[in-house]
Amino acid sequence: VVLSACQTGLGKDFAAGTTGLARAWIQSGASSVVMSLWNVDDGATRELMTKFIGKATEQPVDQALREAMLETRSTHPDPYYWAGFTTFGAPELNQSSN
C-alpha cells in the first residue's frame, strides 16, 4: 500500500503502541506500507512516486523506495523533498510475487 499524502505515517501513541493508517493496513493484510512522515511537496512527491512505482514492480519495496529517493535527490537536493517517506511492515517482500 502506498500512502503518498502528507503525514500518512503519523499515528497516535497508546500504551500498546502507535496506531495509525499504516498499522491499520498491516492488520488488514498488507505486507508493507509506504508512508510520509511530514508535509510533502506535490511536485517532488509525484516525481518520487512515479520512479518508485516503476521500480517496485521489479524489486523489493524498500530497495525501490531507496533508489527512487536517490534519483529524486539528484533533482531536489534538499531532503525535505524526498526523505519524508519510509516503509512499514515487511519491505523485503517483492510485491509483484504476492
Side-chain angles (χ1 to χ4, degrees):
V1 175
V2 177
L3 305 173
S4 63
C6 296
Q7 300 180 356
T8 54
L10 301 184
K12 185 156 176 79
D13 293 329
F14 295 97
T18 302
T19 301
L21 286 174
R23 185 170 301 278
W25 278 106
I26 295 296
Q27 290 176 341
S28 295
S31 59
S32 63
V33 179
V34 174
M35 58 195 174
S36 68
L37 300 175
W38 57 70
N39 290 334
V40 293
D41 177 78
D42 289 342
T45 297
R46 181 178 47 249
E47 181 180 332
L48 174 68
M49 288 298 139
T50 300
K51 292 174 182 182
F52 165 70
I53 294 300
K55 295 173 183 312
T57 60
E58 299 181 9
Q59 59 187 314
V61 173
D62 56 335
Q63 290 177 2
L65 182 59
R66 180 182 182 277
E67 287 184 20
M69 288 174 152
L70 290 172
E71 288 181 20
T72 303
R73 186 173 75 173
S74 69
T75 56
H76 302 283
D78 187 332
Y80 162 78
Y81 292 101
W82 53 267
F85 290 91
T86 190
T87 58
F88 178 73
E92 72 279 355
L93 295 175
N94 188 331
Q95 298 303 310
S96 64
S97 64
N98 288 340

